[in-house]
Amino acid sequence: MFGKASMLTIVETDLISASDSGEMKIVLSLGGSVLMRDLNAERIYRFAKAIEEIAKDNKVFVVVGGGKIARDYIKTAKQLGADNTFCDYIGIGVTRLNAMLLCSALSDAPKVIPEDFREAYELSLRHNVVVMGGTFPGHTTDATSALLAEFVKADLLLNATSVNGIYSDDPMKNPNAKRFDRIKAEDLLKIVLSLSAEAGGNFPLDILSIKIIQRSKIRTIVFLGEPENIRRVVEGDFEDIGTLVEP
């Protein structure tokens, strides 16, 4: 596990806190586009089984995004005259529907979707897996996950994305972009700020989430969001599939 001795698979100085029993608090950010691809039940089921596997030894909080479904709803809402805040509430509603779908495949997770971090924490006292969606207008899935990690004092924040880690530029647009095995949060912030100046920039994490990771010193891994990779990154093996963000 990503605990004391096994952290040596990265480097000796990368030790993070865990309870005496070895249990960690893990927050997993699952973007809607990663989890809900084509509303494929088999894919959702595989993610659920991977989450249950790591929850045998850890306390796991999952934040689910809205994905294409949310974007489609928001696009239509804007055409109907909805303002940005109301569109955010629509997106939050979709994230909670997606969270309910994932809960359908999880045997231990409560069939209640918490609407704030306090509810999530209270549910975690009785369950090893808690699944939630968005919480507040203007906050992305990334930011919600980082805030939750800060609130529950998580040992590890995992961000499942459509690419295998963090790059110096958008790898979908620039084939020469460099992938990082590890990166300091302050350096990542510079990359995101530079990308944000370009229309349609694809960010590995948003600005708010990076600042939260910095201020609370949250150990974070951005990785290729496939079910089989979840166990790997929890065990400290993210070679070729992810990037360690050092606060």
Side-chain angles (χ1 to χ4, degrees), residues 2 27-29 34 142 156-167 179-183 188 192 203-206 209-210 213 218-226 229 233 237-246:
F2 223 167
V27 173
L28 171 62
S29 175
V34 171
D142 293 340
L156 184 63
L157 171 60
L158 303 178
N159 189 285
T161 72
S162 59
V163 293
N164 62 334
I166 293 170
Y167 284 75
R179 192 185 76 83
F180 300 98
D181 291 323
R182 60 180 61 229
I183 188 171
L188 174 57
V192 173
F203 315 140
L205 289 167
D206 65 22
S209 63
I210 298 169
I213 289 166
I218 304 167
R219 193 71 61 176
T220 303
I221 299 178
V222 178
F223 71 102
L224 181 62
E226 294 297 334
N229 289 340
V233 294
D237 176 16
F238 51 86
E239 185 177 2
D240 299 325
I241 63 167
T243 300
L244 174 67
V245 180
E246 300 173 315

Side-chain angles (χ1 to χ4, degrees), residues 75-92:
K75 178 181 177 181
T76 301
K78 286 184 175 180
Q79 291 172 347
L80 294 171
D83 59 46
N84 286 336
T85 301
F86 192 71
C87 286
D88 281 348
Y89 276 116
I90 291 173
I92 289 169

Side-chain angles (χ1 to χ4, degrees), residues 15-139:
L15 301 181
I16 63 175
S17 62
S19 67
D20 291 339
S21 65
E23 179 183 272
M24 290 191 297
K25 290 179 185 174
I26 299 170
V27 173
L28 171 62
S29 175
L30 274 180
S33 297
V34 171
L35 175 66
M36 310 303 295
R37 194 177 300 166
D38 300 320
L39 282 178
N40 185 299
E42 174 60 27
R43 182 172 177 80
I44 297 169
Y45 178 82
R46 287 172 55 222
F47 269 105
K49 296 306 111 180
I51 291 166
E52 288 181 335
E53 182 65 23
I54 63 170
K56 291 177 181 177
D57 304 306
N58 304 286
K59 191 76 68 175
V60 182
F61 299 82
V62 185
V63 180
V64 181
K68 183 179 183 301
I69 302 170
R71 291 192 292 273
D72 288 345
Y73 265 84
I74 289 169
K75 178 181 177 181
T76 301
K78 286 184 175 180
Q79 291 172 347
L80 294 171
D83 59 46
N84 286 336
T85 301
F86 192 71
C87 286
D88 281 348
Y89 276 116
I90 291 173
I92 289 169
V94 175
T95 66
R96 292 174 181 169
L97 285 174
N98 288 347
M100 290 173 72
L101 268 183
L102 178 59
C103 279
S104 301
L106 290 163
S107 58
D108 182 54
K111 301 304 185 277
V112 175
I113 306 302
E115 297 187 0
D116 60 43
F117 304 140
R118 289 178 297 181
E119 288 184 29
Y121 172 74
E122 289 167 2
L123 287 168
S124 76
L125 299 178
R126 302 185 299 276
H127 301 272
N128 269 8
V129 181
V130 176
V131 183
M132 66 185 298
T135 57
F136 194 77
H139 287 177

Side-chain angles (χ1 to χ4, degrees), residues 169-187:
D169 197 358
D170 185 347
M172 302 297 183
K173 297 179 179 179
N174 180 4
N176 296 317
K178 174 189 173 184
R179 192 185 76 83
F180 300 98
D181 291 323
R182 60 180 61 229
I183 188 171
K184 293 284 187 183
E186 60 185 295
D187 294 327

